[in-house]
Amino acid sequence: MQPLHINDQSSPPVLLHQASPRQSRLASGNGLVICLPESFGRELTLLINERVKQYNQEESPTIMAAAAEIALRDAMFGLPELVRSIEQFYRRAEHGYLLLRGMFEVGELPHTPDDDTAPHFESWRSAAAILMGILQLSAHRCGSYLDESGGRLAHMVMPARNSEQSYARSTKALSFHTEVVNGYFLEEMDLRPFGAASPEVFGLVCQRNSHGVATTALSLDALLRRLPYETVQTLMQPIYRTHSQSSFDRDIVADKVPVLTRLNNGQLGIRYSHSKLHAVDAQGEVALALLREALLAPADIERLVLEPGDLVLFNNRRCLHGRDPVRETARFDGKDRWLIRMYGFSHALWSLVNKSPDRHHVIVVPP
């Protein structure tokens, strides 16, 4: 199949703009939004189905991600700015998130699942393959955890009712947090052999969102500007303890870790959870209380209403995220909000984690 040339007379060019409405105050804005022509999403989906349909992301993730990346590069032929935006998203760390509007065509879908499992109907796999390809294009490896959904790569994000705990977790408002708060950063892994690793990025693709439930985002830079210097210094001390997020099957504790860590690029990175991160002394608790207060500043919060066909990447070191409540709109009628989530790990971090011997995409944390 010939590469897709989407900048033709019938399709408007790709539009790039800063997502933050506070451009004059935030130098680069928190997010970069790329709006793609409808024809691009349609043709990319056809190409992905042609190239990747025979693979299953849970059985052949490496092959599927590589095939999806090649398809993406073919589809983006003639769009070097789009390719660079994805390739350099994490490395340059200029934006907390990258939102690709109209990245794929949703097409016919099964009912939204309601029990934390993937539906057998395979049409949703095109979106999952595109997300894997985007993660690969951004220089990240798709990975999962044995202690979260048995190591499944593609996580269904929707209202669930298979248990009281699942219902509460999947429908409540999510306060600002980072993914896998109990995981170690690349900069910490040499001191923490065989610990859980925190993904540098993660991605979401939207299948349904008829009620317009928003994903919230908050830039770390905006947060730091609201904190006194002494508080930042305290948050950089290893005086905190973290626990597994509620989607994990067991509690994996990371002890003596900081909230803020100096990354290899010189920037600060953050790990945070309102309920899964605790200070071990009074000084740490005071700093944590000031951080929690700063998180409530409404001027810095962005609300991203994902639409079917949208894909968003988050920098899990430089951007916190949350979610508006879903409980009021959950109907369990097959039309509820449905996102798919995957984690991405840099190749340097991935080389340091303990992996399953027969499922090389699954991180295993010893008891």
Side-chain angles (χ1 to χ4, degrees):
M1 187 173 183
Q2 293 297 316
L4 304 175
H5 300 273
I6 65 172
N7 281 340
D8 55 23
Q9 296 297 319
S10 62
S11 299
V14 174
L15 304 176
L16 296 164
H17 62 276
Q18 303 297 335
S20 172
R22 298 165 294 281
Q23 293 181 51
S24 59
R25 189 158 63 84
L26 299 179
S28 62
N30 186 29
L32 177 65
V33 177
I34 302 177
C35 301
L36 295 156
E38 183 179 344
S39 59
F40 177 86
R42 181 171 58 250
E43 296 298 329
L44 174 60
T45 303
L46 289 172
L47 188 59
I48 284 288
N49 288 338
E50 178 183 290
R51 303 269 187 93
V52 187
K53 186 176 182 180
Q54 66 269 37
Y55 303 116
N56 183 304
Q57 80 276 350
E58 305 296 341
E59 298 172 1
S60 308
T62 303
I63 297 173
M64 188 172 184
E69 182 191 2
I70 293 171
L72 281 163
R73 288 189 181 276
D74 286 347
M76 296 176 189
F77 183 80
L79 294 170
E81 189 175 5
L82 175 58
V83 175
R84 281 195 301 269
S85 296
I86 299 168
E87 288 180 331
Q88 299 176 2
F89 167 65
Y90 185 80
R91 180 167 58 84
R92 296 187 65 176
E94 294 179 344
H95 306 286
Y97 65 84
L98 171 62
L99 175 55
L100 304 175
R101 293 281 192 191
M103 187 66 190
F104 62 96
E105 184 177 64
V106 173
E108 183 182 356
L109 281 177
H111 284 179
T112 298
D114 61 8
D115 60 355
D116 285 342
T117 60
H120 296 296
F121 198 93
E122 294 186 354
S123 62
W124 64 270
R125 296 188 185 277
S126 299
I130 291 171
L131 179 53
M132 293 178 75
I134 290 291
L135 288 169
Q136 179 109 341
L137 189 58
S138 72
H140 292 89
R141 172 78 178 263
C142 294
S144 61
Y145 302 88
L146 182 63
D147 295 295
E148 186 181 33
S149 301
R152 191 184 340 136
L153 271 177
H155 294 264
M156 304 296 124
V157 181
M158 74 291 151
R161 57 178 176 179
N162 50 309
S163 70
E164 186 175 335
Q165 180 185 14
S166 295
Y167 176 77
R169 182 180 72 235
S170 63
T171 59
K172 67 179 181 181
L174 291 181
S175 57
F176 283 118
H177 62 284
T178 56
E179 290 295 324
V180 193
V181 67
N182 62 321
Y184 298 111
F185 295 4
L186 170 64
E187 293 79 4
E188 303 166 333
M189 283 295 287
D190 57 340
L191 303 176
R192 314 281 184 165
F194 305 115
S198 168
E200 283 102 342
V201 301
F202 73 95
L204 298 170
V205 289
C206 179
Q207 301 279 61
R208 285 194 179 100
N209 192 14
S210 57
H211 294 101
V213 176
T215 300
T216 52
L218 177 63
S219 161
L220 175 57
D221 285 340
L223 185 60
L224 291 174
R225 284 194 288 271
R226 295 185 176 276
L227 295 174
Y229 175 79
E230 296 77 11
T231 300
V232 173
Q233 291 296 107
T234 300
L235 292 170
M236 293 178 69
Q237 301 304 311
I239 54 175
Y240 298 90
R241 178 181 298 116
T242 60
H243 299 263
S244 298
Q245 58 201 40
S246 57
S247 57
F248 274 60
D249 303 320
R250 69 180 172 109
D251 188 22
I252 302 171
V253 177
D255 211 354
K256 298 181 180 179
V257 295
V259 174
L260 299 172
T261 296
R262 183 71 64 183
L263 304 177
N264 287 336
N265 64 3
Q267 294 179 322
L268 288 178
I270 188 170
R271 58 163 55 85
Y272 181 75
S273 167
H274 180 78
S275 61
K276 303 297 182 180
L277 183 146
H278 310 281
V280 299
D281 65 21
Q283 182 185 18
E285 184 55 47
V286 170
L288 199 56
L290 290 173
L291 173 62
R292 288 170 179 153
E293 183 178 344
L295 286 168
L296 300 177
D300 297 321
I301 298 173
E302 296 181 71
R303 299 179 71 256
L304 311 177
V305 178
L306 301 181
E307 300 175 357
D310 289 351
L311 184 155
V312 61
L313 283 185
F314 280 96
N315 184 328
N316 199 40
R317 301 287 185 265
R318 301 281 302 160
C319 184
L320 298 100
H321 68 284
R323 182 191 66 209
D324 284 353
V326 184
R327 187 164 300 170
E328 290 77 9
T329 60
R331 301 287 185 268
F332 299 104
D333 58 357
K335 305 300 181 183
D336 286 330
R337 180 178 185 261
W338 179 13
L339 310 181
I340 300 172
R341 183 191 70 207
M342 288 188 185
Y343 302 129
F345 301 82
S346 68
H347 296 290
L349 180 55
W350 192 252
S351 69
L352 300 175
V353 300
N354 188 51
K355 295 175 278 290
S356 168
D358 55 346
R359 299 164 68 201
H360 295 168
H361 61 283
V362 179
I363 296 173
V364 178
V365 181

